[in-house]
Each structure stands twice: as C-alpha cells, then as structure tokens.
Amino acid sequence: MLRFFRYFWSEIHPSWCLYASFCGVISGIVLTVASGKIFFQHWLWVVAAVLIIYYCLRCSRRGTLLWALIAGLVIGNFRLASEFSGQEFLTSMIGRNITISGVINNDPETTAGQTTLNLSHLEFATTQENYAIAGTLYVKLSTNVSLERSDIVTLQGTLAAGFGTYVGTMYRPELLELRRADTGDIFARVKQGFAKIVRNFIPSPAVELGLGYLVGLKSGLPEELSDTLRAVGMTHVIVASGAHLGILVGAARKVFGKLSKFSGLLGAGLLIAGFVLIVGFTPSMTRAALVSSLSLCFGYVGRKFTPLRLLIFVAMLTLLFSPLNCLNLGWQLSFASFFALLIVAPRLQKLFYGGKKLPWLAGMLLTSLATTLTCAPILIYNFGTLSLLSFVANLFILPTLPYAMLLVFLTGATSFWPWLAGIFGKLATLLLEAHIWLVNFLGEKKMFIFELPAGDGRVFLVYIIIAVLLLVLSRPFRSQSTNSKICRHVAPIQASERNENLFSFPRMRRIGKRRQTQWKRRLPPVTTGRKNSVS
C-alpha cells in the first residue's frame, strides 16, 4: 500500500497535467455534444476548474492528472451552454415563419438557379429586440442577386430542422436586405477574380479541379466528377487543408530561407495568413494554419512539438473556438489524416524498415495505408463506402499535386503575357486531364469499392485496435535479463549498432569494452584494511 501511495504521489513534469486538462476539455465537449446535457452552467464552475488546473501545475503529481482531467471536463461542458441555448430556441421555432439575419461565412455556390450558403453570427428579429444565436444556418436561396462571402443578409421564411453542425435550415426564403461594405471581402474578390482569369486559359472541367487544388474552390465542379472523387476516396485533394498549405509553406521557406532564418519564418507566416484569408476559416483550414504556425514558431527558437501533444493542443483550440466542429466531416477527416501522417505512418515505417531510409514508393504506400486506416471508419459511418483504390490514386496524384498547383498559379500570375500564360495553361491542362482520366478509370472498377451500412457506430471500434497497436509498437526494447542488477548500469546500444547483425563479432567487442569500462568506474577503491600510522 505504501509503495502504491509513493507511485501515486511521485512527481511528474507539469506539462503532463496541462495536457491532461486539454484532453479533459476535448472529452467534455465531445461527451456534451453526444449527450446533449449541460451540467455546469454557472461561471463559478469555470473559476473552480481553472484554480484546480493551476494547483495541478504547481504541485505536479501522478495523482493530480485525474484532477486536471476532471477540471477540463467541466470547462468543456460549460463551453457548450451558449450553443445549446441557441439550439433550443431555434428548435422551438421549427415550422414557423421567421425573420433572421446573419453573415455569409463561405463562398456561395450557385447551381441550377439556387444559391447555397452558410450563415453565422445569427440574429433573430422580434417585435421587441434581436436575439443573438450561436451556430450556423444552412440556406438554399433562389435569387438573381450576386452574393459574396462576408455579406450580411436578412431572410424571411420557414425554419426547418438542422443536420450535422447546422442548427437549422431554410429553403427558398425571401431575401429582405443585403448589406455589404464598400470594399466587400477583398480576399474573396481576389480569389474570384483570379479564378475568372484562370478560366480563360484552362478549359472545364480541368480548371475547376485545378482551382480546387489551389484555393479549395469547389463551385462549378461537375457533380459526376465530384461523385467519382468521393467513390475513389480522393475528396481530400480538393479541400484546402494541411497538404496544400504544407506545399506552399515549404516553397516559401526554401525561397526566403536563403536570406536568413527570420526571413523564412516571416515569408512563410505571411503566406499562411494570406492563404487562410483567401480560402476562408474552414475547420480543416483552421487546423492546418494552427499546426503550420506553431511548428514554424517553435522551430525558429529551436524547439519541437511532440506530434501527439501538438494534435491535442490544436484540437482543443479549434473545439473551444467552435465546439460543434466535432460534428463537421471536414474537421474529423482533417484530424484523422493529421494523426495518420504524424503518428501512425512513422510507427509503420519503424515496424517495416527500422531506422533505414525508406524508398519513395514504400513511403507513399505506408503513408497512404496509414491515412486509409484512420479515415476509413469516418467515411464508412457517413457514406457507407470503402474504397481500396486510393492507394493507386495517391501514388500518382499526390506526387504531382505540387506541380499542378504551381502551373495553375503561374497561369493566373502571368496573364499579363497571354502567350506565356497560354503555355502554362496547356501544361496544367495536360496534367489535370491526366488526373481526371485516372479518377474516372479507377471509378469504373466497382469490384474495389465496398458498400457497407452507414451510420453504424460500431465501426469506430477500429480506433481501439489502432490505439493498442500503437502502444505495442511504441514500447522500447528491453533486455531479457532485466531482473539482474548489472543491467541497470549497462550502456544502451548506440544508434549505429541497431542495424548490424545481433551476434557480429565487432559489435560484441565494442559493447564488451564499453561495459568493462563502466564497471571499472563503479568499483569501490581497494583498501589494505590497515590504518596509516603517523611517525
């Protein structure tokens, strides 16, 4: 019992308690969304939780990890109080004719005479006052008015029930008022203007795919091609996320890093800010921007984030900013792929190749395998399909994705010289049409696309198997004679010796000499047993 108490009260680094509280916040938000119940509505609960976390950081023990986790659960549950109050109010208004205003937070998509948009910062108008409501409203509007991101609109129509992260939906409401700043959303206009220029040099549907690669613009993408991309499992390539931002940041660091380390940081930071403002603050883009910014800043001062801790920290920040992101498919796939690239793929590489350098083809296959394993449960739960063709598509599309993005960008950037823009446009068209041909070819192979029941929560049990395998692969090597006291002072095997034969003579001789030297240093001094006499 005393031994257990000593272990329970042994000191640990304060960061363990900090990240335990972060895990508590994430768990509190997810559990609250799943249960739909708020237990801690008063702000004094948050004050108490913050004080508990502060005590855990000052007195970091193994036992305080549980306290920090519980304090995080309280904060996560409290964060959803305002979201649920707005949902309850809108639920009571379902089926009624209402007047509501909000800000368009995405690029409106117009197809078949209908404009689809999302409204945030909602205000419900009554005869007495306006009520601010947290959440996002899904709207399908029939209008000839040109709408842009960041426009403020006032709608009147029948409110219907929401789905996913949307607190409600409205179909064909009446547009009462449109408010727009004199300049409008400058970055949205830059994106639309750039897309208009590129369309002059690249034909459809290649131009829609290229703009989806570069700036995540999915409006105008043929529905048949979109369905084929979903069936093949390649929808992530037309969603601006970490892969696209990583390509741009890597290029900026190579160009500006030649001047100085600070120039590389500044250039990459400005590129991240500009790209996010142009694409918009989507859940996947927000995650990618946070990860890239934190990695750049910590790398500049010579520090590194542990991948798992970086994942936890960014997930906590994005959920605190918008708790209903945990229901967003883009947010889920973004973090699943991020987890696969930084945690699962390195474990697979260590399992199959040890410390050796991976061939290009093997690295692509292992990365694709890791991404498929982590994203498959989410895709099966939402769409009921599982494709094994993403391996083949990733081998060709992902390596050529940076070149496609570069060619599309150069096509628009050199539009002042039409002859040069035409050359880049032709090259971009050839590459993008090759991508489309490959996707259509793989989409015809129905034997590799499996139909499974959608909405079955048991599919998420796969993550338990993945977690167990990661724990097994993460365990360090231990000698068989760990019970011997001698092994406590044996020097660890050097990194250069791990790839050698276990029983090679040069290796055994080096290890033996090193152990002999260590034991000589640990032997007590030899004494004669007689005291020195003073003459």
Side-chain angles (χ1 to χ4, degrees):
M1 186 66 182
L2 182 61
R3 185 177 179 181
F4 174 77
F5 180 78
R6 288 178 178 176
Y7 175 81
F8 190 74
W9 206 245
S10 58
E11 292 186 2
I12 57 175
H13 196 272
S15 63
W16 285 93
C17 294
L18 181 63
Y19 281 91
S21 64
F22 291 167
C23 292
V25 173
I26 297 171
S27 303
I29 292 175
V30 173
L31 292 176
T32 304
V33 170
S35 63
K37 296 182 180 179
I38 301 293
F39 299 100
F40 309 99
Q41 296 185 0
H42 203 278
W43 60 270
L44 288 177
W45 286 107
V46 179
V47 174
V50 172
L51 292 177
I52 291 174
I53 294 174
Y54 176 75
Y55 170 77
C56 293
L57 294 176
R58 293 297 301 270
C59 182
S60 302
R61 301 288 190 273
R62 294 183 186 272
T64 57
L65 289 174
L66 182 60
W67 299 358
L69 181 67
I70 294 175
L73 286 170
V74 173
I75 296 176
N77 185 262
F78 174 82
R79 174 62 184 86
L80 280 158
S82 60
E83 304 282 341
F84 279 13
S85 62
Q87 286 188 357
E88 291 176 358
F89 178 78
L90 285 180
T91 302
S92 64
M93 302 300 295
I94 289 177
R96 300 183 182 180
N97 192 279
I98 64 171
T99 301
I100 195 168
S101 62
V103 181
I104 301 176
N105 63 1
N106 70 325
D107 294 312
E109 299 180 7
T110 302
T111 55
Q114 287 191 342
T115 303
T116 304
L117 52 91
N118 300 334
L119 291 184
S120 60
H121 302 86
L122 304 174
E123 289 188 359
F124 180 77
T126 62
T127 56
Q128 298 178 352
E129 57 180 343
N130 294 342
Y131 292 97
I133 301 172
T136 306
L137 186 68
Y138 179 84
V139 179
K140 273 197 171 184
L141 189 65
S142 297
T143 180
N144 296 324
V145 179
S146 176
L147 299 176
E148 297 179 358
R149 192 176 67 193
S150 301
D151 287 348
I152 302 175
V153 296
T154 302
L155 306 174
Q156 184 178 11
T158 304
L159 180 67
F163 61 94
T165 59
Y166 300 107
V167 296
T169 58
M170 294 184 73
Y171 296 97
R172 296 185 178 181
E174 181 184 356
L175 179 62
L176 298 181
E177 184 182 4
L178 170 62
R179 286 175 288 170
R180 179 183 300 168
D182 295 335
T183 58
D185 192 331
I186 299 176
F187 296 97
R189 291 188 175 184
V190 168
K191 179 168 67 173
Q192 296 295 337
F194 181 83
K196 185 177 180 180
I197 293 174
V198 172
R199 287 190 175 97
N200 295 327
F201 299 94
I202 302 177
S204 180
V207 64
E208 282 78 15
L209 183 62
L211 292 173
Y213 285 165
L214 186 61
V215 293
L217 190 62
K218 296 181 291 183
S219 59
L221 189 69
E223 187 176 354
E224 183 180 357
L225 179 59
S226 180
D227 295 338
T228 307
L229 286 170
R230 186 182 300 110
V232 178
M234 296 298 295
T235 54
H236 59 279
V237 297
I238 57 172
V239 178
S241 59
H244 305 73
L245 195 59
I247 293 171
L248 297 177
V249 170
R253 293 186 66 180
K254 286 183 179 180
V255 174
F256 297 103
K258 296 179 180 179
L259 301 177
S260 65
K261 190 176 181 180
F262 178 76
S263 299
L265 173 67
L266 182 62
L270 292 175
L271 187 59
I272 291 173
F275 190 69
V276 172
L277 290 173
I278 290 176
V279 174
F281 288 91
T282 62
S284 58
M285 197 70 249
T286 304
R287 191 275 306 167
L290 284 174
V291 170
S292 301
S293 301
L294 291 172
S295 301
L296 284 173
C297 293
F298 276 78
Y300 179 75
V301 297
R303 306 285 293 183
K304 287 185 177 181
F305 253 117
T306 304
L308 183 59
R309 292 190 173 188
L310 180 61
L311 179 73
I312 294 172
F313 181 59
V314 174
M316 186 268 301
L317 287 180
T318 53
L319 288 180
L320 280 179
F321 177 74
S322 180
L324 296 180
N325 272 342
C326 61
L327 297 177
N328 186 280
L329 181 61
W331 186 89
Q332 296 172 5
L333 291 176
S334 177
F335 274 92
S337 59
F338 179 55
F339 179 80
L341 293 175
L342 294 187
I343 297 177
V344 179
R347 299 295 189 276
L348 293 177
Q349 295 174 7
K350 184 178 179 181
L351 175 65
F352 291 106
Y353 287 88
K356 298 180 181 179
K357 185 178 180 180
L358 269 73
W360 171 82
L361 182 60
M364 290 297 300
L365 284 174
L366 290 179
T367 301
S368 181
L369 176 61
T371 306
T372 302
L373 287 176
T374 54
C375 295
I378 300 174
L379 295 174
I380 294 173
Y381 181 82
N382 288 275
F383 302 114
T385 58
L386 175 63
S387 174
L388 300 180
L389 300 173
S390 58
F391 293 102
V392 182
N394 284 333
L395 289 178
F396 178 76
I397 292 181
L398 291 184
T400 57
L401 180 62
Y403 302 103
M405 294 173 60
L406 178 62
L407 289 173
V408 173
F409 173 76
L410 292 177
T411 301
T414 59
S415 60
F416 299 101
W417 297 282
W419 62 271
L420 185 59
I423 295 175
F424 288 128
K426 290 292 184 182
L427 295 175
T429 302
L430 292 175
L431 185 56
L432 293 171
E433 287 182 350
H435 288 187
I436 295 174
W437 176 86
L438 179 64
V439 170
N440 290 330
F441 175 77
L442 295 176
E444 296 175 356
K445 309 302 178 182
K446 303 296 183 181
M447 64 184 71
F448 297 102
I449 302 176
F450 300 96
E451 298 289 338
L452 299 171
D456 189 357
R458 291 176 297 180
V459 72
F460 293 110
L461 296 176
V462 175
Y463 289 128
I464 299 178
I465 301 175
I466 295 176
V468 172
L469 291 177
L470 289 177
L471 290 175
V472 172
L473 295 176
S474 300
R475 292 184 61 185
F477 172 78
R478 292 186 180 181
S479 176
Q480 295 181 355
S481 56
T482 51
N483 294 329
S484 174
K485 295 182 179 180
I486 298 177
C487 291
R488 299 180 183 178
H489 308 293
V490 174
I493 299 174
Q494 300 294 331
S496 60
E497 300 171 355
R498 292 174 183 168
N499 297 329
E500 296 183 9
N501 187 5
L502 184 62
F503 299 103
S504 63
F505 179 74
R507 178 178 181 276
M508 298 298 292
R509 185 173 58 184
R510 286 197 303 270
I511 295 176
K513 286 184 178 180
R514 189 163 67 247
R515 292 177 178 176
Q516 186 179 9
T517 303
Q518 284 189 345
W519 274 106
K520 284 182 179 180
R521 293 175 181 175
R522 294 182 178 275
L523 290 176
V526 179
T527 58
T528 59
R530 295 180 299 173
K531 296 182 179 181
N532 296 330
S533 58
V534 179
S535 57

